[in-house]
Amino acid sequence: KYYPPDFDPAKIPKLKLPKDRQYVVRLMAPFNMRCKTCGEYIYKGKKFNARKETVRSEAYLGLPVFRFYVKCTRCLAEITFKTDPENTDYTMEHGATRNFQAEKLLEEEEKRMQKEREEEELNNPMKVLENRTKDSKLEMEVLENLQELKELNQRQASVEFEAMLKQHKAPEEEQRRKEQE
């Protein structure tokens, strides 16, 4: 490429792009969903050419929130969802409904149970003692079960190498004896 001697790169005008510009990106569906218009199931991992934009009014601890626009594979209706950095997940906005997630409900239930237990322990010192003894008993039972399983495996896994060698050599010796006869 030829650059003339009086070329100054600072004189080239900068391209002014809007802040809320949309990019076309290739992404996979982050969760199972069902289109509201046609009822088509879109499974997690389905690839889409999507439009991505930064949501101006939202941020979490300095992390930007992105919105994605995808089209249903059957009816081409627009489906939008955005990132949720607070919960390290995605939130559905419109165009589809998110399918049931058993794992998420289980985690929420465990958190709720843990919170209830902590609140109960704060108010009642006897409950703290009861929970500790219950936990230690459970731990002891688990250790006993583990020890029993180890012993059972050791009994079943005892290998006698001499017997195996004799068993393997017996057909060979019998064949030699037949050849000699």
Side-chain angles (χ1 to χ4, degrees), residues 33-92:
M33 56 186 135
R34 186 174 184 193
C35 180
K36 284 184 180 176
T37 56
C38 67
E40 175 77 4
Y41 285 98
I42 300 169
Y43 297 101
K44 181 179 181 178
K46 175 83 175 138
K47 290 185 179 178
F48 290 98
N49 290 326
R51 292 189 335 266
K52 174 184 117 175
E53 71 178 8
T54 306
V55 181
R56 278 186 163 181
S57 60
E58 294 182 41
Y60 175 74
L61 299 176
L63 296 172
V65 174
F66 297 106
R67 181 177 286 123
F68 298 96
Y69 300 91
V70 297
K71 295 205 179 284
C72 174
T73 52
R74 186 198 278 171
C75 67
L76 299 177
E78 194 167 66
I79 298 169
T80 63
F81 54 91
K82 61 183 179 179
T83 57
D84 183 13
E86 184 175 359
N87 300 317
T88 61
D89 199 12
Y90 293 84
T91 56
M92 193 71 195

Side-chain angles (χ1 to χ4, degrees), residues 165-177:
L165 288 172
K166 286 179 185 177
Q167 190 178 23
H168 188 66
K169 288 183 180 179
E172 292 176 3
E173 291 177 8
E174 190 174 315
Q175 188 177 5
R176 284 186 196 153
R177 198 176 314 124

Side-chain angles (χ1 to χ4, degrees), residues 5-49:
D6 60 339
F7 176 73
D8 185 14
K11 291 182 181 177
I12 296 175
K14 296 285 184 197
L15 188 62
K16 292 190 170 92
L17 297 172
K19 293 285 184 189
D20 58 348
R21 181 176 162 207
Q22 290 186 349
Y23 298 94
V24 176
V25 293
R26 183 91 170 153
L27 83 127
M28 291 187 189
F31 46 78
N32 296 332
M33 56 186 135
R34 186 174 184 193
C35 180
K36 284 184 180 176
T37 56
C38 67
E40 175 77 4
Y41 285 98
I42 300 169
Y43 297 101
K44 181 179 181 178
K46 175 83 175 138
K47 290 185 179 178
F48 290 98
N49 290 326

